[in-house]
Amino acid sequence: MLKRFVVVLAVFALFGSLTFAAEVLRADGSKEPAPAGKRIQGPATVRTASGGRITIDEGGAVEILPPDGDIELIMVKRGAVRGIIDGKTQVAGPNAWLMVRPGTWARFYAETNGANKGFIKVTEGQALLVYGGNINVHLTAGNGINLAKTKSGGMWFGTHQTNVSDIRMIHRVTDTLEIDLTVPKATSGSFRQELDGQKTRVTSDAISWKSGQISLETRLDGEKKHTGSLGPGTFAVIDNSTGVLEISFSEADFQIVERAASLTSELSALAVSNFFGDEAPKSGN
């Protein structure tokens, strides 16, 4: 079940009497209200109360959720959407919420790929993607990322091969420990807990970009503790109580890892070839 990073402060009934200006715009020019609970099939456009627009592609669908105070919440249920949002609107895909700072805006593209995997790209502006309540992904213009829940309950990530800069990810592991990652383009990996939550494993997949490395830093009570870098086919195991990290090669034979790394560009191209929608709407209204 999708969890938001904040507690919803009011129940749906409290807001039932309030009027929000969100509406659905159809291709034939017709309009209809978009109250909480409404599921909207594409092609269509949702105009938010604050003037943003979210366009739903053919075959896509979104659901209007009960608002959180004055924040409109829209969940992508199927397919792809694109549009522009400000601080008054948040968009959810599988496991994660896309949001921007108050007073700012961002253009984006989002696509779901099953119940536990989604792709988000920011085409203009900046946005924050919050996964599971404890992982923040900072997206600047021209950067996209795949996020998925793993069978072990961890998180898998994969940055787009056309990203224009590195992506920063901050994992709040405990009340005292943070892991700060800087991830280059065409790089995939994962987080997972081990030994009943005593350790965190951070992995760079063997097919990650061979010319790039994931930089990581641990902070305990806000104080920098340890740093390291992960190339393709390596992983770090971090002690959740001390922030100490150890870096190792994966269990796979190193020759296999080396060959997989040499194929990064080809495999990455195949992995992301079905993701389109890099162009944002020409205007937000």
Side-chain angles (χ1 to χ4, degrees), residues 248-269:
S248 303
F249 284 102
S250 67
E251 293 84 352
D253 182 81
F254 181 71
Q255 290 183 344
I256 297 175
V257 172
E258 191 174 42
R259 169 152 177 77
S262 72
L263 296 175
T264 297
S265 59
E266 292 87 352
L267 293 175
S268 296

Side-chain angles (χ1 to χ4, degrees), residues 198-247:
Q198 297 180 52
K199 307 278 189 179
T200 301
R201 177 181 289 229
V202 183
T203 300
S204 176
D205 292 342
I207 62 170
S208 292
W209 182 35
K210 66 179 180 180
S211 298
Q213 291 190 332
I214 298 174
S215 299
L216 63 99
E217 173 183 308
T218 64
R219 290 193 294 271
L220 200 64
D221 291 324
E223 181 182 346
K224 178 179 175 181
K225 286 297 180 181
H226 298 276
T227 61
S229 297
L230 299 179
T234 61
F235 66 90
V237 176
I238 299 163
D239 188 307
N240 291 346
S241 62
T242 65
V244 173
L245 62 87
E246 298 179 0
I247 295 178

Side-chain angles (χ1 to χ4, degrees), residues 96-241:
W97 285 87
L98 183 72
M99 59 196 71
V100 300
R101 291 193 185 101
T104 67
W105 58 272
R107 293 182 189 270
F108 73 95
Y109 170 81
E111 180 175 305
T112 62
N113 295 278
N116 292 314
K117 185 176 181 181
F119 174 77
I120 294 280
K121 180 174 183 177
V122 169
T123 55
E124 289 186 60
Q126 299 184 33
L128 184 69
L129 191 59
V130 179
Y131 178 97
N134 61 353
I135 299 177
N136 293 342
V137 181
H138 298 257
L139 291 176
T140 54
N143 292 323
I145 191 168
N146 289 283
L147 297 179
K149 185 176 180 179
T150 65
K151 292 182 179 179
S152 65
M155 186 196 81
W156 175 87
F157 58 85
T159 56
H160 201 285
Q161 65 172 358
T162 62
N163 283 0
V164 299
S165 60
D166 295 343
I167 287 179
R168 186 182 181 194
M169 304 171 61
I170 299 177
H171 184 5
R172 183 76 172 179
V173 181
T174 68
D175 290 340
T176 58
L177 177 67
E178 284 186 342
I179 302 173
D180 194 334
L181 267 63
T182 302
V183 186
K185 66 180 181 179
T187 297
S188 63
S190 61
F191 291 105
R192 80 174 188 223
Q193 294 301 303
E194 299 182 336
L195 298 177
D196 295 324
Q198 297 180 52
K199 307 278 189 179
T200 301
R201 177 181 289 229
V202 183
T203 300
S204 176
D205 292 342
I207 62 170
S208 292
W209 182 35
K210 66 179 180 180
S211 298
Q213 291 190 332
I214 298 174
S215 299
L216 63 99
E217 173 183 308
T218 64
R219 290 193 294 271
L220 200 64
D221 291 324
E223 181 182 346
K224 178 179 175 181
K225 286 297 180 181
H226 298 276
T227 61
S229 297
L230 299 179
T234 61
F235 66 90
V237 176
I238 299 163
D239 188 307
N240 291 346
S241 62

